[in-house]
């Protein structure tokens, strides 16, 4: 319908153009010229001042098909511009019918979609004019009034979104957006296809122009589109949720939720009705829908606009949070995976998110727990510092002990990464960083000392994040990389500054410094070279057996021993000489840090390229085999740091190196010599002297022989600093002129000893302990004078308690508080012990040792005094009996001494049940290294089993750790000799135990010893042997008396019943033992005649009450003595004073009682002569019976690893029955 004429201005302007543009014979050029002129004139006409009647002719001609369908692009481009101007001038009414308008708009958009390219395209200005006119005049809204407008709108939206992808000018994007917004605003009903076209743009790359256009359009028309978007989303869910088994349907639902997430980022106002619908999805029964909705909402809440979303939809937020308790683990997992964004962006909801994560750390599903831990590894330093509490981080650390490996890995990796990014701030002494992160290495190191499985992960995290090798990536590609050895060493010292004693010991253990040399890893490399890829010239069986043995030993320390063994065999078969050379460089203690980094990187690259399947195993192998935490490059920095006031850990490291790997000092002897010359710095002199002594003893070529230096050393020997004097004495012994120098020193000490002041007396006695062991010839020149003084004037002199001392009931004194006189007495015992060891290989060994052994045994029998009625200070007595027990352990290393000590073995063994906690613990800590190196007779392996009643969890746990580790890491044959055959000795020891009686209650306590042993040692493979040994105990008699024989028979019957009950409970076959067992003749004797044997076998020695108890226990098929103990209350901090003695509520077959645990010195420090609890075990062990790894001995370091394993403790008070052997054992301490 033609539009009506409008009232105009009094002087309207008429169109001057009056030429025909339609007609036959009209050339294209001429037509183009006319249209151009028409367009120019129309464009200049003002809508308000034009006489529209003058436009009638051209408006009719312009819609002629000859124009609209002309083949020339220019004709159509100008015609489109003219038509747009006509519509502008006639606005708001259109001078065309609906059909004509439809043709016109189709013509417009066809021209734009085909012709509008870039600024360089033909007729670009005309297309730009057309688009601008449609945008500004809004004539395009006429489309909404046309019949079938929906189809035209669909075409327009589709064409425009296709058009905008051509990366046109920004202004064109704006024009198009205006046109599309106008269409949406004016349309009565938005076609679904149009909405689909718009929504499709959000699934594309958000950097695309079409995406930007969709965002502009949606934000401008949000009010109108809200309902349509909600309906669109609903239709998809409904349409695809009926066939729940179809994955394709869920894929469509997933895509719809992806669209919602995109809309949330760019057009959140569109989702006003959609978010509540998502909330409803969280409640549906269908798992997949719940899963998709949880993930979508989680990601939306996690983004930068999430806080606003939470504020706007609090109900949805709360319902989403409730998915933390969803019955399906996958839904809970999706919830947790969103938490990173929540922590970063929802600062106002920190407590809610923290509580969510803390709860999910305890989720029953391991994937959820692992995901929680992983979230924190993805956070940046500032977020964690300000928005994650320390308690939350400690909760993550707790998951480092999770039963599932995936959780442990994620938890420890998160902690490691956080510490790594925080370390620069910790190094700069940032108090907030120190408070928030500095504890992390300590926790990881504690975990590394727990289970075998947790240790593997913890070691990797420590290597990657806590103590990483420096500049690894760059060092692998350059020969001249400047590696900062000082910064590397300082990182170690800085980190150690925030460790507790247990953490420091773990670092020392992981450092690889301690252990036998050559190490198992070096022996493996040697075996690989000898194996030669299987081409062996001679001793083929021996070479293969040696390789198999060392691989078996090493692989036990891996999480998957079978895979590790296969990989180690594969490396040996590969037989790559270059790899061998690189590995040898890595293992060499003389390799510096730069060489280690370079060789390690090249070695792992070669493994990766040649045998990628074994890379994981060889990476762990390399990490454990090399000195990557501290090595010879650390020495100069450590020496410099010792001079500082806060040098504790530098001193600890140097002391540890001196004891266990002095070879690291070889390149630095000149620096050590300079260090001992600085006499004003006592700490530096002490460390330097110990290091020089160690390196001098390890390599004769490095012994100190400089005259000036020896003179200085002699002054130290005769000085009053006991620790320095001890090390100086070792340096003298290692020098070329040691005979004369040592004799001179002994002569001087012998003259001054009787008049020496207390501190000088301690120092002289420490020196004598060294000379007695290392320079016996010099010592013996004055031995009569020296020993007479030490025994009569020092050891035998009573030490009554100080009447003025307030803490008179205390039975232990810490190292720093030990009085010089007591130090000297303890060192005097070491002099006696070392003199015996020095003469061990001589004919006079027993003549020298007998009085010493008698004296030491007397100290044990009388609880640290030389007579039963002595009134010595309890603190002195505990120190003296501890040193006596330790001395007997070291003397037992010598066979002839061990035989002599055997008569007092029970007294020595029950030292582990001493009333004083410190005595028990130190005794065990000295016992384990000797047992691990197999320097003691097998019967000494009984001692750990006597800890079953110990009131302190850590004593028992140390024993369990040692037995478990030692029995697991020896061959089956060795296990029989060292842990199984000794079972009958355990029965004999218990029969002689001072607390033994045949009372029912007492036998119940004795049963716990047997069950403790069986828990750790018994298996289906050896139960027949153990039962056989228990039976054989009734076929012999005790070597001492008839009373003890009856005790032994009672123990035999008790043990047989316990073994039968255990076998029944575990469905073990209890068959007759087929082999022959030789019983120990030193403690057992044959019965006099068969009649006696028959009588004993027929006699029942157990009380009827005990027999009934055993029978009842057997029926329940529950091993006796393994019931869960009552939970003990946590102990409050106590001083060293013993608490008041309490009446025992029940009997205990153990003389020990629970006491306040006092801080214990480092094992590193306990080797010094002047420290009362010390023992030169490393020195003595090296000189007496050096051992190396073999198929017989195993790894000498394995026991130390087990020593560091500690389980979680639950500590409390226990009552004890007084021992009938010594009243001191009943004392609460």
């Amino acid at each position: 319908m033609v539009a009506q004429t409008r009232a105009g201005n009094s002087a309207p302007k008429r169109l001057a153009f009056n030429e025909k543009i339609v007609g036959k014979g009209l050339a294209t050029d001429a037509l183009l010229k006319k249209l151009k002129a028409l367009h120019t004139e129309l464009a200049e006409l003002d809508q308000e001042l034009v006489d529209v009647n003058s436009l009638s002719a051209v408006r009719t001609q312009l819609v002629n098909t000859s124009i609209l369908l002309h083949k020339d692009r220019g004709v159509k481009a100008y015609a489109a511009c003219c038509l747009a101007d006509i519509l502008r001038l006639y606005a708001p009414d259109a001078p065309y019918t609906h059909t004509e308008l439809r043709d016109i708009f189709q013509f417009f958009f066809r021209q734009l979609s085909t012709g509008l390219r870039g600024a360089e395209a033909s007729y670009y200005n005309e297309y730009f004019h057309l688009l601008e006119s449609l945008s500004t005049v809004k004539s395009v809204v006429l489309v909404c009034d046309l019949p079938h407008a929906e189809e035209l709108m669909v075409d327009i939206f589709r064409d425009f979104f296709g058009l905008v992808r051509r990366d046109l000018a920004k202004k064109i994007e704006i024009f198009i957006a205006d046109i599309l917004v106008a269409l949406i605003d004016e349309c009565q009903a938005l076609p679904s296809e149009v909405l689909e076209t718009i929504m499709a743009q959000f699934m594309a790359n958000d950097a695309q122009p079409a995406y930007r256009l969709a965002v502009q359009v949606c934000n401008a028309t949000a009010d109108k589109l809200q309902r349509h978007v909600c309906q669109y989303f609903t239709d998809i869910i409904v349409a695809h949720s009926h066939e729940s088994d179809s994955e394709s349907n869920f894929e469509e639902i997933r895509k719809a939720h992806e669209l919602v997430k995109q809309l949330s980022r760019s057009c959140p106002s569109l989702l006003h009705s959609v978010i509540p619908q998502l909330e409803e999805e969280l409640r549906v029964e269908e798992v997949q829908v719940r899963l998709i909705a949880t993930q979508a909402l989680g990601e939306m809440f996690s983004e930068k606009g999430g806080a606003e979303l939470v504020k706007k939809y609090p109900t949805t937020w709360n319902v989403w949070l409730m998915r933390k308790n969803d019955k399906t683990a996958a839904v809970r997992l999706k919830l947790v995976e969103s938490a990173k964004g929540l922590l970063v962006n929802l600062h106002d909801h920190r407590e809610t998110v923290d509580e969510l994560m803390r709860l999910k750390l305890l989720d029953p599903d391991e994937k959820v727990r692992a995901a929680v831990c992983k979230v924190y590894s993805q956070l940046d330093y500032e977020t964690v510092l300000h928005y994650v509490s320390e308690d939350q981080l400690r909760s993550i650390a707790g998951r480092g002990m999770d039963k599932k490996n995936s959780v442990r890995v994620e938890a420890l990796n998160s902690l490691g990464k956080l510490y790594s990014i925080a370390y620069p701030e910790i190094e700069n002494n940032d108090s907030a960083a120190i408070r928030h992160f500095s504890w992390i290495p300590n926790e990881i190191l504690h975990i590394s000392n727990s289970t075998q499985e947790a240790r593997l992960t913890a070691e990797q995290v420590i290597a990657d994040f806590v103590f990483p090798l420096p500049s690894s990536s760059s060092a692998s590609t350059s020969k001249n990389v400047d590696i900062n050895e000082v910064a590397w060493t300082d990182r170690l010292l800085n980190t150690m500054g925030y460790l507790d004693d247990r953490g420091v010991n773990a670092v020392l253990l992981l450092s690889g410094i301690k252990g036998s040399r050559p190490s198992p890893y070096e022996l493996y490399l040697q075996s690989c070279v000898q194996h030669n890829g299987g081409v062996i010239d001679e001793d083929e069986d021996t070479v293969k057996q040696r390789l198999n043995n060392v691989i078996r030993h090493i692989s036990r320390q891996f999480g998957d021993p079978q895979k590790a063994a296969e990989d180690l065999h594969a490396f040996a078969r590969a037989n790559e000489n270059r790899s061998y050379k690189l590995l040898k460089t890595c293992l060499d203690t003389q390799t510096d840090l730069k060489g280690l980094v370079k060789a390690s990187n090249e070695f792992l690259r070669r493994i990766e390229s040649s045998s990628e399947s074994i890379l994981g195993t060889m990476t762990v192998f390399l990490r454990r085999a090399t000195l990557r935490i501290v090595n010879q490059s650390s020495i100069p920095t450590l020496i410099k740091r010792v001079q500082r006031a806060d040098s504790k850990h530098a001193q600890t490291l140097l002391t540890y190196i001196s004891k266990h790997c002095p070879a690291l000092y070889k390149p630095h002897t000149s620096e050590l010599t300079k260090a001992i010359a600085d006499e004003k710095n006592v700490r530096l002199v002490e460390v330097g002297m110990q290091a020089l002594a160690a390196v001098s003893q390890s390599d004769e070529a490095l012994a100190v022989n400089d005259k000036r230096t020896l003179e200085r050393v002699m002054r130290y020997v005769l000085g009053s600093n006991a620790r320095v004097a001890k090390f100086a004495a070792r340096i003298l012994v290692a020098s070329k002129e040691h005979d004369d120098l040592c004799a001179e020193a002994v002569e001087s000490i012998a003259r001054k000893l009787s008049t020496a002041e207390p501190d000088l007396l301690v120092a002289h006695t420490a020196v004598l302990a060294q000379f007695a062991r290392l320079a016996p010839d010099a010592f013996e020149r004055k031995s009569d004078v020296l020993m007479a003084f030490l025994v009569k004037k020092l050891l035998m002199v009573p030490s009554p308690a100080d009447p003025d001392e307030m803490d008179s009931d205390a039975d232990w004194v810490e190292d720093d508080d030990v009085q010089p006189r007591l130090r000297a007495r303890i060192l005097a015992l070491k002099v006696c012990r070392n003199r015996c060891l020095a003469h061990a290989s001589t004919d006079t060994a027993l003549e020298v040792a007998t009085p010493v052994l008698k004296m030491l045994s007397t100290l044990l029998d009388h609880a640290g005094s030389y007579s039963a009625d002595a009134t010595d200070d309890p603190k002195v007595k505990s120190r003296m009996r501890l040193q006596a027990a330790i001395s007997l352990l070291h003397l037992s290393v010598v066979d002839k001494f061990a035989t002599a000590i055997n008569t007092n073995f029970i007294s020595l063994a029950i030292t582990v049940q001493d009333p004083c906690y410190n005595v028990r613990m130190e005794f065990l800590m000295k016992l384990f290294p000797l047992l691990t190196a197999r320097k003691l007779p097998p019967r000494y392996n009984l001692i750990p089993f006597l800890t079953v009643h110990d009131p302190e969890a850590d004593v028992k746990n140390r024993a369990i750790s040692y037995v478990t580790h030692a029995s697991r890491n020896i061959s089956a044959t060795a296990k029989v000799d060292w842990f199984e055959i000794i079972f009958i000795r355990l029965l004999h020891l218990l029969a002689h135990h001072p607390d033994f009686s045949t009372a029912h209650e007492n036998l119940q306590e004795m049963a716990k010893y047997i069950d403790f042993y069986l828990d750790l040692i018994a298996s289906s493979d050896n139960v027949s042997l153990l039962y056989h040994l228990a039976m054989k105990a009734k076929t012999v008699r005790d070597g001492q008396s008839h009373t003890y024989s009856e005790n032994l028979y009672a123990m035999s019957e008790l043990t047989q019943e316990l073994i039968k009950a255990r076998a029944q409970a575990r469905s073990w076959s209890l068959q007759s033992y087929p082999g022959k067992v030789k019983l120990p003749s030193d403690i057992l004797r044959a019965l006099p005649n068969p009649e006696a044997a028959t009588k004993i076998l027929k006699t029942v020695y157990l009380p009827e009450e005990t027999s009934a108890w055993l029978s009842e226990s057997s029926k329940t098929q529950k091993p006796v003595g393994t019931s869960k103990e009552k939970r003990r209350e946590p102990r409050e901090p106590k001083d060293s004073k013993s608490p008041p003695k309490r009446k025992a509520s029940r009997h205990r077959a153990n003389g020990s009682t629970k006491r306040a645990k006092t801080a214990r010195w480092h094992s590193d420090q306990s080797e010094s002569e002047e420290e009362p609890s010390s023992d030169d075990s490393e020195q003595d062990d090296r000189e007496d019976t050096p051992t190396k790894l073999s198929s017989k001995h195993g790894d000498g370091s394995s026991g130390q690893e087990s020593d560091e394993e500690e389980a979680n403790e639950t500590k409390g008070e226990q009552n004890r029955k007084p021992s009938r052997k010594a009243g001191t054992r009943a004392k609460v301490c």
Side-chain angles (χ1 to χ4, degrees), residues 1054-1098:
L1054 176 65
T1055 303
Q1056 290 179 57
E1057 294 301 322
L1058 292 173
I1059 293 177
K1060 286 192 291 185
R1062 183 174 293 264
Q1064 178 183 349
R1066 290 163 172 75
S1067 301
W1068 291 346
S1069 176
L1070 195 59
Q1071 300 176 350
S1072 298
Y1073 184 68
K1076 293 184 178 181
V1077 177
K1078 183 179 179 180
L1079 300 182
S1081 59
D1082 58 324
I1083 57 174
L1084 302 173
R1085 301 287 185 271
L1087 292 171
N1089 51 60
E1091 291 76 13
T1094 302
K1095 181 179 179 182
I1096 292 169
L1097 289 175
K1098 291 182 178 179

Side-chain angles (χ1 to χ4, degrees), residues 750-751 753 780-791:
R751 290 194 306 269
L753 197 59
E780 291 302 323
R781 294 182 184 183
K782 291 290 183 179
S783 61
D784 52 346
V785 176
L786 296 173
M787 293 306 296
F789 174 83
L790 293 177
V791 174

Side-chain angles (χ1 to χ4, degrees), residues 937-939 941 970-982:
R939 61 179 173 272
N941 272 314
I970 58 176
S971 65
T973 304
K975 184 177 180 181
V976 171
D977 295 336
W978 288 84
F979 287 100
E980 295 173 5
I981 291 295
I982 64 170

Side-chain angles (χ1 to χ4, degrees), residues 615-681:
L615 179 62
T617 298
M618 297 312 296
T619 301
V620 175
F621 178 97
L622 190 65
R623 186 181 69 236
R624 292 180 171 177
T626 56
L627 302 180
R628 53 177 296 128
I629 294 179
V630 58
N631 63 20
Q632 67 107 333
S633 296
S634 310
I635 304 300
T637 304
L638 292 175
I639 292 175
K640 291 179 182 177
R641 299 297 179 260
V642 167
Q643 302 176 45
R644 294 181 177 176
D646 57 343
S647 62
K648 173 184 174 183
H649 296 297
Q651 185 174 356
T652 298
L653 288 169
L654 290 172
T655 300
Y656 196 74
I657 293 169
S658 298
K659 290 178 182 178
H660 304 297
C661 193
L664 296 183
Y665 291 128
K666 286 184 179 180
H668 309 289
T669 52
S670 60
E671 295 173 68
L672 295 175
T673 303
K674 292 177 183 178
I676 66 171
D678 187 2
E679 299 184 18
K680 293 182 180 179
N681 193 329

